[in-house]
Amino acid sequence: MGVSRLMDLLDDSREVIRNDGLLLLQQLTKSNAAIQKIVAFENAFERLLDIITEEGNSDGGIVVEDCLLLLQNLLKYNNSNQNFFKEGSYIQRMKPWFEVGDDNSGWSAQKVTNLHLMLQLVRVLVSPGNPPGATSSCQKFMYQCGLLQQLCIILMATGVPADILTETINTVSEVIRGSQVNQDYFASVNAPSNPPRPAIVVLLMSMVNERQPFVLRCAVLYCFQCFLYKNQKGQGEIVATLLPSTIDATSLSAGQLLCGGLFSTDSLSNWCAAVALAHALLENSTQKEQLLRVQLATSIGNPPVSLLQQCTNILAQGSKVQTRVGLLMLLCTWLTNCPIAVTHFLHNASNVPFLTAQISENLGEEEQLVQGLCALLLGICIYYNDNSLESNTKEKLKQLIEKRIGKEIFTEKLGFITKHEFYSKAAQKPQPSFSSPDHMMFDHEFTKLVKELEAVIIKAIYKSSEEDKKEEEVKKSLEQHDNIISHYKNVIREQDLQLEELKQTVSTLQAKNEQFQTTVSQQVAQIQQHKDQYNLLKVQLGKDNQHHNSHNSNAQINGFQSEEVSRLKEEIEELKKQHDLLQGELSEKNTLIENLSCNQAAGQTEQTTGVSEQVTELQKEMETLRSQLHVQSTEINRLQAERMELLQKVEASATVTASGDSASAASKNNDYEEKIAGLLRELSSLKDEVNLLSVEKSTLKRELDSAHSTTAILQDEKLKLGQEVSESKKEQDDLLILLADQDQKILSLKNKLKELGEQVDDEDDLESGDAGDEDDLDEEDSRDDDM
């Protein structure tokens, strides 16, 4: 509980006790991860940040400095505390530290110290030495809370002390390093000038200016390197400023500044510009090829020369060691993994003799580094040579080395690079930190490139021509194999997408069919309602006929009543015709339903089992609906026959002559007229309802026609898909045969290598195994598609 009791001192109202408690905690937390964790979980971050805020942030006194030193002890090299600091949303509370005013004159020494420590604390959270996931997460938080934006404001402000500006540049560098969002934001930052210039351009102007402080120029170089780190978009934008089609003569661009620094008289500017340009090409073959298009105007009256040629010309002129080292690093980076650039380099007949002369000479220690880099460049020309130039093929270059230099001497000179003390220092961390400009020789990323290439170049030098040919054949066959596999994987991926689209289409059609079924069910209910109404009308007509039959001897029909009965007869005939028409439409609907069912049954065999069951259920439902419609049609025919019988009864009653007194006949005629009028109204109502039913069934017909059309289209797409799947299956079978042949050839080649006495690496076996696994996976995919 000792640490907990000490943490309580930070809340003591007596400043002397609190301040001494801070100093004691500083000493306890140095290089002790256990105490660092205990202090952090005792709410140290919250308490320390509160004290810094109370003391006035960067304008505070020595107490703020003590708090910042304690925070550095808790966070530096402690991933657990860094994660706790980030998850506790304490990064957001750092933003007010950097809100400096417009008047930046008269900074006190304590404020400079405080702000310097605050910037270092930000760098602790985003240091390249931290786990990549933790660094990326902190970078994201710093952008979201506006901390990066605030740092960029300080970067572009005037009157900021040089050491604070330098540390701010380094801090911004690590906040944007490897973060695409942060890099894009930094590219959009403009300096408050007239006209506005991008911050990158303003910083590069400082880097190539020999009057600027050395540490500031190193910080700008580091910032540019971090901006381009894993940022192919940014690399393309920088190289584009050098291309003829995009050069803007009215404004100064990053590419023009780099070229100006590359060919200036200041060796440090040469080195910085060469390294910066090399970072625009790292792991980006596209930009390496684009940079070959850059043309430079050397002097008035002379034709322009390529950037590649101008670099080699400066090398041949024997400039300072630092300049030549920078240019050789640029050329090595440029030619690595770019056979086109190698061909352009070898096309100049003077380049290879210059390199061999540099390597074969016995020079002093200062020149040994240049000799090693020349050997590396020549080795890259061999390893990445595509043999497109007959005069400088791989074999001829190796023969040249063996005759002019000797393989052992070449290997020895190549080893000068990694044995140099400057190489070891540069390999330690990404940030360029040198005690003096003369020690600025190697770049961190270049050291990783040398480590990767040294072994493969030595191996390539000692290989015989037959081994090279065999290796080239194996590489070509493997490339063809990989290309074929990639092609068929793409085909299968496209077919999977088409299958998904067809399944979605089937689901849509099924939903439409369900809607049609609902509509037909509603129509059946309406028909049942009309049937009930008609039965009620029939009962009423039966009662009226009985009443008339009981008074046949006394009934008398006048001329007006005969006309009404005739009109009623005509309307009944018209209703009969409409009923026949409706019956014909119902027959057509029945035929459409049968065709739809047949089409679905025909296309169903090419779909999956799940879709087959669903469509079968839909077919059964359609059969049930068809039987219901047939029953309804029969019922309507019966109702039609009954209507005819009623009509005949009405006609028979109209022809009967009656006798009796006129008063009795008149009253009966009036009763009869009222009944006939009621009958007419009911028949008119029935006629309207039948017309409404006809309209609704016409709508159903159009919807069924649309469904039929959609089903036909789907069937055609299924047939096409079936053909494509069959073709894909044949192609995959051919691929399996081809892969088997390739495996046999590779095995034969390995056996020949073993017979010749060469050792075969296990990695080859593993690659063959992996290829076999991929074949098996592809074969399983094709079987799944067949199923």
Side-chain angles (χ1 to χ4, degrees):
M1 296 299 293
V3 175
S4 178
R5 300 287 292 274
L6 287 177
M7 289 299 299
D8 292 338
L9 298 178
L10 299 181
D11 296 329
D12 199 297
S13 59
R14 295 165 294 184
E15 292 189 3
V16 139
I17 302 298
R18 182 196 66 182
N19 297 343
D20 285 344
L22 283 172
L23 296 175
L24 179 56
L25 286 170
Q26 281 183 31
Q27 299 301 320
L28 288 174
T29 53
K30 281 183 179 179
S31 305
N32 193 314
I35 296 180
Q36 290 171 2
K37 290 182 180 180
I38 296 172
V39 172
F41 282 96
E42 287 289 340
N43 206 21
F45 296 137
E46 183 76 27
R47 296 181 182 184
L48 292 173
L49 292 174
D50 287 342
I51 294 174
I52 292 173
T53 304
E54 292 171 3
E55 295 291 327
N57 294 327
S58 60
D59 293 324
I62 189 71
V63 177
V64 173
E65 179 182 348
D66 292 336
C67 290
L68 292 171
L69 290 172
L70 179 55
L71 283 172
Q72 281 194 19
N73 288 346
L74 296 176
L75 294 174
K76 201 168 186 179
Y77 308 123
N78 194 317
N79 297 329
S80 174
N81 283 0
Q82 290 176 10
N83 189 48
F84 181 62
F85 189 85
K86 176 194 66 179
E87 292 179 352
S89 300
Y90 296 120
I91 292 178
Q92 290 88 323
R93 297 189 59 179
M94 300 169 71
K95 180 186 174 184
W97 296 354
F98 307 102
E99 293 177 354
V100 296
D102 296 333
D103 185 13
N104 293 320
S105 59
W107 286 48
S108 65
Q110 186 62 55
K111 182 174 181 178
V112 171
T113 301
N114 290 344
L115 202 53
H116 199 275
L117 290 173
M118 290 172 176
L119 291 169
Q120 288 182 349
L121 192 62
V122 175
R123 293 185 63 185
V124 166
L125 296 173
V126 292
S127 171
N130 294 342
T135 299
S136 176
S137 180
C138 289
Q139 290 172 333
K140 180 180 177 182
F141 275 107
M142 289 178 182
Y143 173 75
Q144 291 175 346
C145 73
L147 179 58
L148 173 60
Q149 293 84 331
Q150 201 63 45
L151 291 173
C152 290
I153 291 175
I154 299 177
L155 194 65
M156 295 291 106
T158 56
V160 179
D163 53 347
I164 293 298
L165 181 59
T166 301
E167 190 64 23
T168 303
I169 294 173
N170 288 327
T171 305
V172 171
S173 304
E174 295 182 352
V175 173
I176 68 173
R177 187 176 189 269
S179 174
Q180 187 66 55
V181 176
N182 294 4
Q183 289 167 340
D184 291 343
Y185 169 76
F186 184 71
S188 66
V189 174
N190 288 323
S193 59
N194 190 16
R197 286 178 173 173
I200 297 175
V201 172
V202 175
L203 291 174
L204 288 178
M205 291 172 65
S206 300
M207 185 185 75
V208 298
N209 187 352
E210 55 184 315
R211 292 191 297 272
Q212 292 291 340
F214 173 64
V215 290
L216 179 63
R217 298 174 73 180
C218 290
V220 173
L221 175 61
Y222 184 46
C223 184
F224 191 75
Q225 292 173 347
C226 291
F227 169 68
L228 296 179
Y229 182 70
K230 294 183 179 179
N231 183 11
Q232 293 195 352
K233 178 183 175 183
Q235 290 175 323
E237 292 172 352
I238 297 299
V239 173
T241 60
L242 286 166
L243 300 180
S245 59
T246 57
I247 291 178
D248 185 5
T250 61
S251 63
L252 200 59
S253 67
Q256 291 171 343
L257 286 169
L258 290 177
C259 279
L262 195 62
F263 306 122
S264 73
T265 56
D266 177 30
S267 61
L268 183 59
S269 296
N270 301 152
W271 190 92
C272 291
V275 170
L277 197 56
H279 275 259
L281 305 176
L282 275 176
E283 299 179 0
N284 195 330
S285 300
T286 302
Q287 302 312 321
K288 291 178 182 178
E289 296 176 7
Q290 288 292 321
L291 202 62
L292 294 171
R293 297 169 49 200
V294 177
Q295 299 290 322
L296 302 175
T298 55
S299 59
I300 300 175
N302 293 330
V305 297
S306 67
L307 176 61
L308 182 66
Q309 184 59 44
Q310 184 65 12
C311 290
T312 56
N313 291 342
I314 295 176
L315 277 176
Q317 292 173 4
S319 52
K320 293 182 180 180
V321 173
Q322 190 176 43
T323 299
R324 284 182 288 163
V325 168
L327 290 173
L328 285 169
M329 286 195 297
L330 172 60
L331 291 174
C332 289
T333 305
W334 194 347
L335 269 59
T336 296
N337 202 23
C338 186
I340 298 176
V342 172
T343 303
H344 278 71
F345 181 80
L346 295 177
H347 191 71
N348 188 344
S350 61
N351 286 339
V352 174
F354 167 75
L355 293 178
T356 54
Q358 287 288 318
I359 300 169
S360 58
E361 289 182 1
N362 293 320
L363 303 174
E365 292 184 1
E366 293 182 355
E367 295 293 332
Q368 286 183 351
L369 191 55
V370 175
Q371 287 183 315
L373 291 172
C374 288
L376 178 66
L377 182 58
L378 185 57
I380 290 172
C381 292
I382 294 174
Y383 186 73
Y384 293 104
N385 194 334
D386 58 0
N387 295 326
S388 58
L389 286 177
E390 187 65 27
S391 59
N392 286 311
T393 61
K394 282 185 177 182
E395 187 61 28
K396 289 184 177 180
L397 290 177
K398 288 195 292 185
Q399 291 175 1
L400 182 65
I401 290 175
E402 190 170 1
K403 292 178 181 178
R404 298 280 181 89
I405 304 171
K407 293 182 179 180
E408 292 79 10
I409 297 177
F410 179 87
T411 304
E412 180 185 358
K413 296 294 177 70
L414 184 61
F416 285 164
I417 301 175
T418 54
K419 294 177 182 178
H420 204 282
E421 59 175 338
F422 294 155
Y423 175 90
S424 302
K425 291 181 180 179
Q428 292 175 1
K429 58 181 180 178
Q431 181 183 0
S433 57
F434 305 97
S435 57
S436 68
D438 296 336
H439 293 170
M440 223 170 175
M441 288 295 177
F442 282 111
D443 171 59
H444 177 75
E445 293 295 330
F446 183 74
T447 60
K448 295 195 292 187
L449 183 66
V450 172
K451 186 177 180 181
E452 177 184 346
L453 291 176
E454 184 179 15
V456 296
I457 288 175
I458 294 175
K459 185 177 180 181
I461 293 296
Y462 282 92
K463 276 186 179 179
S464 63
S465 59
E466 294 181 358
E467 291 174 344
D468 282 337
K469 290 180 181 179
K470 291 179 180 179
E471 186 176 351
E472 287 295 329
E473 291 177 358
V474 171
K475 284 184 178 179
K476 289 181 180 179
S477 62
L478 289 176
E479 287 177 358
Q480 293 176 356
H481 166 79
D482 293 338
N483 291 336
I484 293 172
I485 290 178
S486 300
H487 169 69
Y488 283 108
K489 282 184 177 180
N490 292 332
V491 171
I492 293 172
R493 191 177 296 109
E494 292 175 358
Q495 292 176 349
D496 289 339
L497 293 176
Q498 293 176 356
L499 279 173
E500 289 297 328
E501 292 177 356
L502 288 175
K503 287 180 180 180
Q504 293 177 359
T505 305
V506 170
S507 300
T508 303
L509 181 60
Q510 182 181 359
K512 288 183 178 180
N513 285 332
E514 291 177 355
Q515 293 178 358
F516 295 153
Q517 181 182 359
T518 303
T519 303
V520 172
S521 300
Q522 294 175 355
Q523 294 293 332
V524 170
Q526 292 178 357
I527 291 173
Q528 184 63 35
Q529 184 179 0
H530 291 311
K531 176 182 174 182
D532 296 339
Q533 293 177 356
Y534 181 75
N535 289 333
L536 181 60
L537 179 60
K538 183 180 69 173
V539 172
Q540 292 178 354
L541 288 175
K543 291 180 179 179
D544 291 339
N545 288 334
Q546 291 177 3
H547 178 72
H548 288 299
N549 290 333
S550 63
H551 297 88
N552 278 340
S553 60
N554 299 323
Q556 181 178 359
I557 307 300
N558 55 20
F560 177 76
Q561 292 169 338
S562 298
E563 291 176 359
E564 291 291 335
V565 172
S566 298
R567 185 166 58 82
L568 178 61
K569 180 178 179 181
E570 292 175 357
E571 290 179 355
I572 290 176
E573 287 293 336
E574 185 179 356
L575 185 60
K576 177 181 177 183
K577 293 178 181 180
Q578 292 180 356
H579 187 273
D580 292 338
L581 181 61
L582 180 60
Q583 186 175 8
E585 291 178 353
L586 288 174
S587 299
E588 291 178 1
K589 303 297 186 298
N590 189 20
T591 303
L592 288 173
I593 291 173
E594 290 177 355
N595 292 337
L596 180 62
S597 177
C598 292
N599 290 334
Q600 289 179 344
Q604 198 66 27
T605 57
E606 298 178 6
Q607 300 297 321
T608 59
T609 305
V611 177
S612 175
E613 293 176 357
Q614 294 176 356
V615 176
T616 303
E617 292 176 1
L618 183 60
Q619 181 179 0
K620 291 179 180 179
E621 292 174 357
M622 288 183 177
E623 289 292 339
T624 304
L625 179 59
R626 185 175 62 181
S627 63
Q628 291 176 355
L629 290 175
H630 180 70
V631 171
Q632 293 299 329
S633 177
T634 304
E635 185 65 20
I636 290 173
N637 290 333
R638 186 179 63 78
L639 294 176
Q640 179 184 1
E642 292 177 355
R643 186 179 289 114
M644 290 298 297
E645 291 177 1
L646 291 174
L647 181 60
Q648 291 175 2
K649 290 179 181 180
V650 172
E651 290 176 350
S653 64
T655 57
V656 175
T657 57
S659 62
D661 60 320
S662 59
S664 175
S667 62
K668 292 179 179 178
N669 288 337
N670 290 334
D671 295 337
Y672 189 75
E673 288 173 358
E674 291 177 357
K675 293 178 180 179
I676 292 297
L679 180 61
L680 289 173
R681 288 193 298 271
E682 292 174 351
L683 288 176
S684 178
S685 176
L686 180 61
K687 177 181 178 182
D688 293 338
E689 292 174 350
V690 171
N691 288 336
L692 179 61
L693 180 61
S694 177
V695 172
E696 291 175 347
K697 290 191 175 180
S698 298
T699 302
L700 178 60
K701 177 182 177 182
R702 289 193 295 271
E703 293 175 349
L704 288 175
D705 290 340
S706 176
H708 178 55
S709 176
T710 305
T711 303
I713 294 172
L714 179 60
Q715 183 179 3
D716 294 338
E717 292 177 350
K718 290 175 182 177
L719 293 174
K720 292 179 182 179
L721 181 60
Q723 295 175 357
E724 292 176 357
V725 170
S726 299
E727 294 175 358
S728 176
K729 181 180 178 182
K730 292 179 181 179
E731 292 175 349
Q732 290 174 357
D733 293 337
D734 296 339
L735 174 62
L736 291 175
I737 296 173
L738 179 60
L739 293 179
D741 294 339
Q742 294 296 337
D743 291 339
Q744 199 65 30
K745 289 180 180 179
I746 292 173
L747 183 59
S748 175
L749 290 174
K750 288 168 56 180
N751 292 333
K752 290 181 179 180
L753 288 175
K754 291 179 179 179
E755 292 174 0
L756 292 172
E758 292 292 331
Q759 183 177 359
V760 180
D761 294 337
D762 294 335
E763 294 179 355
D764 297 336
D765 297 332
L766 292 175
E767 291 175 358
S768 301
D770 292 341
D773 293 339
E774 291 181 2
D775 295 340
D776 296 338
L777 290 175
D778 290 338
E779 184 176 2
E780 290 178 2
D781 291 340
S782 64
R783 291 177 180 172
D784 293 339
D785 291 339
D786 295 340
M787 293 178 65

